[in-house]
Amino acid sequence: MLLAVLKVLKYSMSSKESSLFGLEQVMKHKKALVIGSIILLIVIVTLWAKDILQWEKNDAGFSEPVVDPALVSAAKLADSLDYLIYFEEKADLTGAYELSWEERGWYVYDTLVAQAEESQAKVRKYLDKRGVTYQSFWIDNVIAVEDSNALTFNGLMKFLEIESIQSIPVISLANPIGGVIDEAPESLDQATPNQLHINADDAWSAGFMGQGLVVGSIDTGVRYTHEALKDQYRGYSEETYFSHGFQWWDAVNGSVAPYDDHGHGTHTTGIMVGTDRFGNVLGVAPEAQWMACKAIDKNGSGLGWDFLECGQFMLAPWDQDGQNNNPNLRPHVVNNSWGNCSQSYTDWFAGTIDAWLAAGIYPVFANGNASNCGYEMPPGLGTVGSPARAFNVTAVGATGADDGQLANFSTWGPTDDPDTLNGEPYPLIKPQVVAPGVNIRSSVSSADNDYAYWGGTSMAAPHVSGLVALMWQAGDCLLGDYAQTENLIEKSAVPIPYETGSGDEGPGNVPNHATGWGEIDVIAAVEEAEKFCGDSEEMILLSGSVMDGGGHGYPLYARVSLVSDHHKPVTYTDPFDGSFSMKVYRDVLYNLEITSEIPGYQPIQETRLVFSEQNAIRDYQMPVVLSCDAPGYLPVEEVVKFGKEIPDAGLCSIQEGGLLAGFVVDIRTGLPADDASISRDGYFVESQGTPEDPNLPDGFYWAFQPTTQDQESITILAAKDFYQSQEVDILIKQDSITQKDFALRHYRDILKASSSMLWEKVVDFAGVVWDKIAVFGMMIWDHIAQFFIQIWEKIAAFFSNIWQSIVAFFNRLSEILTAWFIRTFKP
């Protein structure tokens, strides 16, 4: 068609000699020219759009999804594939960290759901058209596809929003060591030896037993009627007996009531909260409540999508129909006594962990057992499994029941996922701590009064989960604060020096990659929590500010970190006033480091700091680097200072101007808009995420603006791909900061609004037309009605006359018959 159009154009314009004929041909083919021109325009626009999309894909960092090579091979050999689709877009959850417990949960849930619905929409529509069975997850922006053919699988490569396509992880439970069933409860003097060894009984005596806290279990399920667990089940009450909605979910078999067809989950839950009918305490937090999700089958195996489903249930539990999510009912800590044997970090569960942390849920994972992975004993370096290898979970190794000795089956670190939250100066340490994990007595699922002595890091991890509940009861300011809680657990642990041969461990082999910071001490950790959150004289408030030290003096956005042996607080300054604050221990040696998030400033480092006063204040001015790269400075070769020339001193010339900073968001969703440009006269900065700072939302920008006057109005353009640009005039003050936030509208929303307006006009027009049609119809109907009325009147008159004639006929006939009858039969 395109060639035909070009030929017509060429033919119509080529011949001077036959101009009249050409004119006739143009007129004759006028319709074809119009249609062809439209098609040509469509082709050009299509090619242009294709080029734009190709540029976006290749030059803007987009590429085809990363695909598990095993899936690529399987797609060539089989036509039934199961896989996980991970999406590029990740929800910004930084705004959750400063909210209250209830607000925090709903914020995380709503943000994750909105992000998943938006980014998964096209792929879900595609899968629906292909008739594929799938399950959408919002907790990690993932779609799990079941029984897909190769054609559908290959078709996913065109979706730029897909980050990766991965095989379904298969988790094999670390089978417990031991397993002798004890049907008759023993007299244990109110506590098991392992609980006495870690001083849990001292915490109970101080009044801390986990009241008001909820622990979650992702495991093989729980026998909810067990005498040691029934009263602590959140779904139990004496008035209503059992209610399982929001307390239990079975991702494996879909049972509406809790059960455990393996026994492992019942045992680990008992270690967290168990108390038997004789008052013997099995669990670290015997008055905490429990809830559970089954992701592991009776054979000790679990599929990745079931763990994702349980991860969602923990963050926003739902009713027995899978509806009415309620994040207010999420647990405070989730115990995960499972993992794989991979000796390298795998991130398939990372999004779930990130979401838990944002919602304030504390993740605990078992380090893994050598015997279950085929390792020698002791297993050696780098044998810790995933997800315990993750930098933002507390991994737990195992010791004897009451001897403080490392169990020879407990796997070792280091991890290959460095801890950026609170790992300094030992970011690769795994496990973080150890806990009793040999011959641990707890409930099992074979009967309501059965107990067993089992061992493994699976039994060690729930000791720490219970400990977190006690600490958050004792120090409510720690609620939802994973990093500080872990710091206090490490600080209070009893060191167990162990030589692993790694060479990157602490002095005297504490911490180390076999026992971490040591074995947990419950009462010591609880007391640390009390001190940290109370008015203890051991804790003091350190506050201050970080400002520009090159001459402008405006506030800086900077990372402030302190490091001691067991306390590693990190905070960020408020970029709009430069202030910071954090709690520190009195009379403890700290090393301080301040690094600017704004390029061009030299870091500040101080060692052996000791803070003694109750409200310590430290203000800092950050020097500009000698190359004068900081915004608002220009290099000079020499300056005059105190009347003297100082050649090549490396000092910087101050450029007149002020700061502009703020946030860029999507006007419809309110979500941060990263990578938006804030520009003026060709100079621009981009908004960016701030994932390490829980207090500062993403979409943040910071820009120096040159001015020639003390106060000057400048024009700023905010722009982002596929968004409507926004241009505003802003008053900038020299040597100070001005905040300006931008809310940009996506062209998709503009198109929707325009379509809505157009539809309203169409509806209005159709209404007017319909009114006119109705009026016209009524007029026609009046005429038709009059016509039919007249016809009916004539028909009625006609039939009335006929009827009268018939009546008259029969009357006459009756008279004749009557007269005849009288004459004939007259006597």
Side-chain angles (χ1 to χ4, degrees):
M1 177 63 76
L2 180 59
L3 291 175
V5 173
L6 294 175
K7 286 181 180 178
V8 171
L9 289 172
K10 179 179 179 181
Y11 179 76
S12 62
M13 300 173 64
S14 61
S15 177
K16 276 189 176 181
E17 296 84 14
S18 55
S19 58
L20 181 59
F21 178 75
L23 181 59
E24 290 174 354
Q25 291 300 311
V26 169
M27 295 301 293
K28 182 177 180 180
H29 297 286
K30 180 179 180 182
K31 185 176 181 180
L33 282 169
V34 172
I35 295 174
S37 299
I38 293 173
I39 294 174
L40 179 61
L41 180 61
I42 292 173
V43 170
I44 293 172
V45 171
T46 301
L47 292 173
W48 173 80
K50 183 178 179 182
D51 289 341
I52 291 296
L53 291 175
Q54 189 66 34
W55 174 86
E56 180 187 17
K57 178 179 177 180
N58 295 335
D59 297 334
F62 291 95
S63 61
E64 286 189 349
V66 176
V67 182
D68 185 344
L71 280 173
V72 177
S73 300
K76 297 176 182 178
L77 301 174
D79 204 33
S80 178
L81 304 170
D82 300 336
Y83 45 85
L84 297 175
I85 304 172
Y86 285 79
F87 287 81
E88 186 80 30
E89 292 298 324
K90 304 299 179 186
D92 175 29
L93 303 176
T94 53
Y97 285 85
E98 291 301 305
L99 301 176
S100 67
W101 177 259
E102 290 190 0
E103 292 176 320
R104 185 171 179 175
W106 280 105
Y107 178 91
V108 172
Y109 169 69
D110 290 337
T111 303
L112 289 172
V113 170
Q115 180 64 74
E117 288 179 350
E118 181 178 2
S119 53
Q120 295 180 15
K122 292 180 181 178
V123 174
R124 292 179 65 178
K125 185 177 180 180
Y126 168 77
L127 295 174
D128 287 336
K129 287 183 177 180
R130 307 288 300 184
V132 176
T133 301
Y134 67 88
Q135 184 175 1
S136 170
F137 296 101
W138 43 261
I139 194 163
D140 196 11
N141 206 2
V142 174
I143 291 178
V145 177
E146 184 177 2
D147 195 21
S148 157
N149 59 36
L151 183 63
T152 299
F153 172 76
N154 292 327
L156 291 169
M157 304 305 153
K158 67 182 179 180
F159 291 96
L160 300 181
E161 59 264 45
I162 295 178
E163 178 183 52
S164 66
I165 303 177
Q166 301 183 22
S167 299
I168 305 294
V170 178
I171 302 299
S172 295
L173 187 65
N175 290 320
I177 301 167
V180 178
I181 301 297
D182 174 17
E183 295 183 356
E186 299 176 357
S187 176
L188 299 172
D189 298 325
Q190 303 302 308
T192 54
N194 49 299
Q195 302 295 1
L196 294 172
H197 174 68
I198 60 175
N199 301 317
D201 56 322
D202 291 333
W204 305 335
S205 298
F208 302 110
M209 302 184 77
Q211 301 95 320
L213 280 297
V214 180
V215 298
S217 168
I218 296 179
D219 213 300
T220 61
V222 181
R223 186 181 181 102
Y224 70 104
T225 56
H226 198 287
E227 62 179 16
L229 301 176
K230 183 180 73 173
D231 290 344
Q232 295 91 310
Y233 177 40
R234 195 173 63 179
Y236 170 75
S237 69
E238 293 183 358
E239 294 79 15
T240 59
Y241 211 47
F242 292 109
S243 175
H244 303 305
F246 303 100
Q247 328 300 341
W248 159 261
W249 188 253
D250 180 7
V252 179
N253 298 313
S255 171
V256 297
Y259 69 102
D260 184 357
D261 50 7
H262 183 283
H264 189 271
T266 302
H267 200 271
T268 57
T269 303
I271 297 171
M272 289 191 284
V273 300
T275 304
D276 70 24
R277 56 182 161 147
F278 297 104
N280 295 317
V281 181
L282 310 173
V284 177
E287 292 190 11
Q289 294 180 308
W290 65 267
M291 59 179 293
C293 185
K294 181 178 176 66
I296 305 173
D297 64 22
K298 63 182 179 181
N299 299 315
S301 247
L303 297 174
W305 50 37
D306 292 334
F307 288 95
L308 292 175
E309 188 170 349
C310 284
Q312 287 193 164
F313 179 72
M314 288 295 156
L315 196 151
W318 49 74
D319 60 25
Q320 288 183 288
D321 297 322
Q323 305 295 321
N324 303 310
N325 298 71
N326 188 350
N328 290 347
L329 298 177
R330 69 194 185 277
H332 298 90
V333 56
V334 177
N335 185 76
N336 302 274
S337 289
W338 52 268
N340 64 23
C341 295
S342 172
Q343 294 191 33
S344 61
Y345 172 63
T346 55
D347 64 355
W348 69 274
F349 205 65
T352 300
I353 295 169
D354 291 341
W356 284 353
L357 291 173
I361 298 173
Y362 196 104
V364 177
F365 281 84
N367 221 52
N369 301 341
S371 53
N372 298 111
C373 296
Y375 303 145
E376 296 180 354
M377 292 191 287
L381 292 166
T383 52
V384 56
S386 284
R389 294 181 87 95
F391 78 96
N392 51 358
V393 307
T394 296
V396 185
T399 52
D402 57 3
D403 59 11
Q405 298 299 307
L406 178 67
N408 64 356
F409 57 75
S410 184
T411 57
W412 298 4
T415 180
D416 50 354
D417 187 35
D419 188 347
T420 57
L421 279 179
N422 59 345
E424 294 299 333
Y426 307 105
L428 303 181
I429 289 293
K430 288 288 177 179
Q432 270 64 49
V433 288
V434 289
V438 177
N439 291 328
I440 306 301
R441 183 178 187 271
S442 185
S443 47
V444 288
S445 61
S446 50
D448 284 344
N449 61 344
D450 276 1
Y451 300 83
Y453 290 85
W454 285 356
T457 58
S458 285
M459 284 64 246
H463 285 85
V464 176
S465 297
L467 172 58
V468 172
L470 299 189
M471 292 177 67
W472 285 3
Q473 180 190 357
D476 57 3
C477 78
L478 291 171
L479 187 69
D481 188 343
Y482 159 79
Q484 187 55 53
T485 302
E486 185 181 70
N487 280 335
L488 296 181
I489 292 173
E490 294 172 350
K491 179 178 186 294
S492 60
V494 178
I496 303 177
Y498 197 96
E499 175 60 58
T500 67
S502 174
D504 63 346
E505 296 156 316
N509 294 317
V510 177
N512 62 77
H513 294 305
T515 63
W517 289 95
E519 188 175 52
I520 61 170
D521 185 330
V522 174
I523 186 60
V526 167
E527 289 175 347
E528 287 293 342
E530 279 191 293
K531 294 174 186 176
F532 188 83
C533 294
D535 296 328
S536 169
E537 293 185 357
E538 292 189 30
M539 297 297 301
I540 61 177
L541 182 68
L542 170 65
S543 61
S545 62
V546 179
M547 312 296 281
D548 165 84
H552 280 294
Y554 40 59
L556 287 181
Y557 180 42
R559 180 181 188 271
V560 182
S561 67
L562 290 171
V563 177
S564 69
D565 285 344
H566 296 288
H567 190 217
K568 301 174 280 291
V570 175
T571 191
Y572 288 79
T573 62
D574 184 325
F576 301 102
D577 62 17
S579 64
F580 71 91
S581 64
M582 62 177 71
K583 281 192 172 183
V584 297
Y585 283 93
R586 184 190 300 274
D587 299 330
V588 169
L589 285 174
Y590 286 98
N591 293 331
L592 175 140
E593 182 176 37
I594 301 177
T595 55
S596 174
E597 296 295 299
I598 309 303
Y601 288 89
Q602 299 179 35
I604 295 174
Q605 294 178 330
E606 294 182 339
T607 60
R608 303 185 64 80
L609 290 177
V610 177
F611 304 100
S612 300
E613 63 273 29
Q614 182 59 41
N615 294 303
I617 298 176
R618 304 282 292 190
D619 295 324
Y620 296 93
Q621 292 187 334
M622 298 199 75
V624 175
V625 296
L626 298 180
S627 58
C628 303
D629 294 331
Y633 294 92
L634 299 173
V636 293
E637 294 183 356
E638 58 180 38
V639 296
V640 177
K641 186 176 182 181
F642 304 115
K644 298 180 180 180
E645 291 188 356
I646 307 176
D648 301 323
L651 299 180
C652 305
S653 173
I654 299 176
Q655 185 180 12
E656 292 184 340
L659 289 182
L660 179 66
F663 305 93
V664 184
V665 299
D666 184 300
I667 196 171
R668 179 179 66 86
T669 64
L671 294 175
D674 293 341
D675 304 320
S677 67
I678 310 299
S679 62
R680 174 197 177 197
D681 298 333
Y683 166 77
F684 74 94
V685 296
E686 290 188 340
S687 60
Q688 59 186 331
T690 55
E692 304 301 328
D693 185 354
N695 300 320
L696 192 71
D698 286 352
F700 174 69
Y701 76 91
W702 190 99
F704 177 80
Q705 299 296 323
T707 61
T708 57
Q709 304 175 21
D710 182 50
Q711 296 188 32
E712 182 175 331
S713 180
I714 63 174
T715 301
I716 296 293
L717 177 68
K720 180 175 171 63
D721 289 343
F722 305 110
Y723 280 81
Q724 185 180 40
S725 300
Q726 188 178 128
E727 191 172 71
V728 296
D729 292 331
I730 302 171
L731 185 66
I732 297 294
K733 297 180 180 179
Q734 290 185 353
D735 299 330
S736 64
I737 188 168
T738 301
Q739 182 173 354
K740 174 60 182 176
D741 301 332
F742 294 93
L744 302 183
R745 187 182 300 275
H746 199 286
Y747 278 121
R748 173 194 58 238
D749 300 324
I750 297 173
L751 181 60
K752 286 181 179 178
S754 301
S755 300
S756 178
M757 292 175 59
L758 178 60
W759 177 248
E760 289 177 1
K761 293 184 181 297
V762 169
V763 171
D764 291 341
F765 174 74
V768 173
V769 171
W770 175 251
D771 290 340
K772 293 186 178 295
I773 291 174
V775 171
F776 177 74
M778 290 299 296
M779 292 174 59
I780 296 298
W781 175 250
D782 288 340
H783 289 295
I784 293 174
Q786 290 296 326
F787 172 75
F788 278 106
I789 289 171
Q790 292 174 6
I791 294 296
W792 176 250
E793 289 175 348
K794 291 180 180 181
I795 293 174
F798 171 74
F799 279 104
S800 177
N801 291 334
I802 291 177
W803 178 252
Q804 290 175 1
S805 299
I806 293 173
V807 171
F809 170 75
F810 278 104
N811 287 337
R812 180 60 180 162
L813 180 60
S814 176
E815 291 175 358
I816 293 172
L817 291 174
T818 301
W820 176 82
F821 184 82
I822 294 172
R823 286 196 306 270
T824 304
F825 296 102
K826 182 177 181 182

